[in-house]
Amino acid sequence: MVSTFGEGVACLTPGMRQPTYMLKRMQLLKPAPMSLGDFRQALAASPQLGLRFRLPTGGLTPIHLHLTEVARVEKRYIDCGGTIRTDVSARLQLWAADDTAHRVGCAKALQVLDRGAGLVGVTDVPLEVEHDFPFLTVFPVVGSVVEGGDRIFLLAAKQADCLAPDVCIPNACKPGSGCC
């Protein structure tokens, strides 16, 4: 049996032994990230389960990951159109060491999150995960499923985008227009 958290669907195509999970949100250019609060709720609903992450490529993170950081990340910047913006998110860092017998389950991950609750401050912020893939890469968390004895959180690819398309669309860039 396959359970989903959020708007997930399981697809089984001919010749496949395992279902492939796709989120309805993943069909959008920018999938909606899961909030830290939703992540905590999913962990609390399945404390007995193991914890894994499905990469955007479909593969799973190693089962012996360490949850090494819980962070509040604030990014203040100016876009190419001149608008000053601030993004706030919660970020977890995953690290695979040589101790392949190590396991972090949902209950343990919830304990680690509790330690960082005062630092992060709020739970309604988007959740991201840092993982070596093969370089340190940031992935938004977009949902979760229960598969076997594990709660598997689904990671999406982060995409760059122009935040001021009215000023900087490549076709609209003309000398003197203020376009970057």
Side-chain angles (χ1 to χ4, degrees), residues 48-170:
Q48 75 287 1
L49 296 179
L51 176 63
R52 302 285 301 272
F53 294 86
R54 186 173 310 279
L55 297 162
T57 58
L60 290 171
T61 55
I63 197 165
H64 60 279
L65 284 177
H66 291 253
L67 177 52
T68 59
E69 293 179 11
V70 177
R72 175 186 175 103
V73 178
E74 295 185 37
K75 178 181 173 185
R76 187 163 163 82
Y77 57 99
I78 188 166
D79 68 25
C80 57
T83 302
I84 296 174
R85 300 174 186 265
T86 303
D87 291 336
V88 178
S89 63
R91 189 173 296 167
L92 308 177
Q93 186 180 79
L94 307 177
W95 175 61
D98 294 337
D99 57 342
T100 57
H102 177 81
R103 301 289 183 271
V104 173
C106 290
K108 180 67 175 176
L110 205 48
Q111 290 173 0
V112 174
L113 287 177
D114 287 344
R115 288 186 201 126
L119 177 69
V120 176
V122 294
T123 61
D124 63 344
V125 294
L127 179 65
E128 301 172 328
V129 167
E130 281 182 345
H131 176 58
D132 290 325
F133 187 64
F135 307 104
L136 192 60
T137 306
V138 177
F139 302 98
V141 180
V142 295
S144 79
V145 295
V146 173
E147 187 177 299
D150 295 321
R151 164 82 55 192
I152 300 173
F153 287 91
L154 309 172
L155 305 179
K158 204 167 184 174
Q159 301 291 321
D161 193 7
C162 178
L163 299 176
D166 54 322
V167 176
C168 287
I169 304 174

